[in-house]
Amino acid sequence: MASSWGLLQDMGNTINIENDKVHIWKTDDKYKDLLQFLNKLYKEGLLDRDVLSHSPSEYTAKLSTGKVGMSHTQGDDMSTQYKDYEYIGIAPIKGPFGDQLVKASPLARDFGTFAITSANEYPEATIRWIDYFFSKEGSIFFRYGVEGETFNYDDNGLPQYIEEDANLENVTPFPGGGAPQYITEYNSSAINSEAVQEAQKKFDPYLPEIIYGTPLFDEKTTKEVNQIRQDMDAYYNETSSQFINGDLSFDKWDEYVSTIENMGLERLEEIYQEAYDKNFKEQ
């Protein structure tokens, strides 16, 4: 819900870009206000008491029994597997300061990611293999498998899985894999269903104008960033959870801010600012 407080996830971190300036918002008053709101929901029983600790299977069990009133998901599970409860997509919530944005992740983890290493003895064959997935026939195979075994075409000529959990892992690299693939409405009909596409239309007006991708640092800088972030992110996550569930009083907020700052917040902002100036800022 951070984006309803105007807090985005630019450059793969808790970062907002405003007037060409990088700002890590972990210590913002807006973030404090968000945590106080979530703590209020938690105390009133409107936020799942186990939201910070339940396993995926426990969450799924709650969905299957209709105990989840509102949630988020990347796929179509809530409108298909749990259709009896009539889940529908909604626009992002408007926050107390008038912010109403989608926190779009800039992390490239699925589409278009591909490389050939120097150890590959057959680069031409590898390229032909990948190129096949960008054809109409190959894109269907990549996402749906083998006609008659894992999918069939419906009355509209669109591919649909034969079963909800199609046994794709034996025939394609698609399940759980991050590989380049050709995506259209035609070859994603079962994954991006009509319900998902309708929900997306509600999101589109609230997408940020620019989504800044995660920068690639040199080896030395990467080590420094990882060293700072490892401790900082762990402390941020743990403390945020404690603020939400009431284990930590907001009287300790200034102490939390001071700890984050002492972990290298200013230096981390400098590094990301340099990366922004190099990669994104108009010269």
Side-chain angles (χ1 to χ4, degrees):
M1 299 181 71
S3 56
S4 294
W5 270 254
L7 306 174
L8 300 178
Q9 199 79 21
D10 279 323
M11 301 179 77
N13 202 337
T14 51
I15 286 176
N16 277 20
I17 307 293
E18 299 172 0
N19 299 320
D20 288 330
K21 184 172 178 61
V22 169
H23 175 59
I24 299 175
W25 48 258
K26 284 183 173 71
T27 59
D28 259 29
D29 287 340
K30 273 192 172 184
Y31 183 56
K32 178 183 179 182
D33 190 84
L34 167 60
L35 292 174
Q36 289 174 322
F37 175 73
L38 295 175
N39 172 252
K40 181 175 184 290
L41 295 183
Y42 191 89
K43 289 191 295 187
E44 294 179 358
L46 297 173
L47 191 65
D48 187 345
R49 292 298 177 119
D50 300 320
V51 70
L52 301 171
S53 60
H54 61 198
S55 67
S57 60
E58 289 170 331
Y59 167 67
T60 301
K62 293 172 185 177
L63 280 172
S64 64
T65 54
K67 292 183 178 180
V68 176
M70 174 183 172
S71 187
H72 64 88
T73 178
Q74 291 181 315
D76 195 20
D77 297 352
M78 296 181 76
S79 62
T80 54
Q81 296 183 42
Y82 314 110
K83 59 185 176 183
D84 291 344
Y85 305 110
E86 298 182 354
Y87 289 113
I88 60 171
I90 62 172
I93 296 171
K94 189 173 184 178
F97 305 105
D99 300 294
Q100 191 174 13
L101 294 168
V102 176
K103 188 175 72 172
S105 173
L107 301 179
R109 65 177 183 86
D110 276 336
F111 311 130
T113 53
F114 175 68
I116 296 178
T117 74
S118 59
N120 189 325
E121 297 180 9
Y122 308 101
E124 296 88 350
T126 304
I127 288 294
R128 290 197 300 270
W129 180 66
I130 291 295
D131 194 48
Y132 174 65
F133 296 141
F134 283 82
S135 68
K136 182 176 180 180
E137 177 186 351
S139 68
I140 294 295
F141 170 71
F142 185 89
R143 290 200 144 208
Y144 292 91
V146 180
E147 183 179 3
E149 294 183 19
T150 55
F151 83 96
N152 283 318
Y153 290 98
D154 64 17
D155 294 338
N156 296 316
L158 298 176
Q160 301 290 337
Y161 295 124
I162 292 176
E163 299 175 358
E164 284 185 359
D165 298 317
N167 189 26
L168 293 177
E169 61 269 18
N170 293 326
V171 291
T172 87
F174 177 60
Q181 47 191 286
Y182 176 55
I183 305 171
T184 68
E185 291 183 5
Y186 175 76
N187 65 25
S188 62
S189 54
I191 300 160
N192 297 321
S193 67
E194 183 177 348
V196 170
Q197 294 181 42
E198 286 301 314
Q200 181 63 42
K201 292 177 184 177
K202 298 176 183 178
F203 262 47
D204 286 342
Y206 305 103
L207 285 167
E209 290 185 15
I210 301 174
I211 300 172
Y212 297 97
T214 305
L216 294 174
F217 301 113
D218 59 43
E219 184 177 1
K220 180 181 177 181
T221 307
T222 296
K223 289 181 179 179
E224 184 178 6
V225 169
N226 289 344
Q227 185 176 13
I228 295 173
R229 287 197 60 178
Q230 184 174 354
D231 292 336
M232 182 184 291
D233 289 356
Y235 176 73
Y236 158 78
N237 290 326
E238 180 182 1
T239 309
S240 295
S241 298
Q242 292 173 333
F243 279 130
I244 292 170
N245 66 19
D247 285 349
L248 191 63
S249 167
F250 283 95
D251 292 340
K252 299 290 187 180
W253 177 257
D254 290 343
E255 181 180 319
Y256 158 78
V257 170
S258 178
T259 302
I260 290 287
E261 290 175 344
N262 290 335
M263 286 179 164
L265 180 64
E266 184 177 353
R267 174 56 185 153
L268 197 61
E269 281 190 338
E270 287 178 357
I271 294 173
Y272 277 94
Q273 184 68 57
E274 290 171 2
Y276 173 82
D277 291 344
K278 179 180 178 180
N279 296 296
F280 302 115
K281 187 176 180 180
E282 293 185 8
Q283 302 300 324

